[in-house]
Amino acid sequence: MHMNDIPMGIAPHRALPRIRLSPEIWDAIRDRYHNGESAEALSDLFGISLSSFRVHAREGGWRRMDSPDPIVEAPPTPEDLARDERPNIGVMADIAMRRAARAVREGRLTEARGWTRVGRSLAAAARRERPGRDEA
């Protein structure tokens, strides 16, 4: 290959500008990570690569096992259980199918498959619960 054969311009791996986040933003990312958000979601949200996130997490010692335990609500009392406040399973099935559709539109097919399974399972449970009605 001759020097004249090399294309001029920005190399494909350098086409996007690199961004440098402030320490305050990295602190916010760390806090959100410790509160349960995924590394992938935070990388997408803050516009950083997943490898950059993992490097900061490793260098900063961000381990979820070091996070404080989540606040757990007290178990329901017998009075709470006596009230019939069960969720509408048909509505839950609709929500799951909407989330599946959004995941497909955003290219997250594995997540969409999971939401579809949940939606179908909930729809079947709703039909069993109310056998005389057909829910669309």
Side-chain angles (χ1 to χ4, degrees):
M1 176 178 247
H2 190 269
M3 286 290 285
N4 292 336
D5 295 334
I6 298 174
M8 299 304 287
I10 299 174
H13 65 283
R14 299 272 186 187
L16 297 176
R18 293 179 51 179
I19 58 172
R20 184 174 213 96
L21 300 180
S22 69
E24 293 81 16
I25 293 177
W26 281 111
D27 289 342
I29 293 171
R30 181 197 62 229
D31 293 342
R32 292 176 77 156
Y33 179 67
H34 281 302
N35 286 329
E37 292 189 51
S38 71
E40 294 82 6
L42 290 169
S43 297
D44 289 342
L45 180 66
F46 287 92
I48 57 174
S49 68
L50 186 58
S51 61
S52 178
F53 176 90
R54 297 210 188 280
V55 166
H56 273 81
R58 183 178 57 246
E59 289 176 355
W62 305 354
R63 299 184 323 169
R64 285 209 174 129
M65 63 189 295
D66 296 334
S67 301
D69 290 333
I71 297 171
V72 179
E73 295 181 21
T77 63
E79 293 81 25
D80 293 335
L81 294 174
R83 283 187 249 137
D84 188 16
E85 294 180 6
R86 293 183 299 166
N88 185 327
I89 297 176
V91 171
M92 290 170 46
D94 184 54
I95 291 170
M97 295 309 278
R98 289 174 190 266
R99 288 185 178 179
R102 182 176 41 192
V104 167
R105 283 193 306 270
E106 295 173 359
R108 298 186 321 263
L109 300 180
T110 304
E111 179 182 340
R113 183 176 56 188
W115 281 117
T116 302
R117 286 180 183 166
V118 169
R120 286 180 180 165
S121 175
L122 288 169
R127 284 191 299 273
R128 284 192 304 270
E129 194 170 272
R130 293 184 177 87
R133 296 182 181 175
D134 285 330
E135 294 195 10

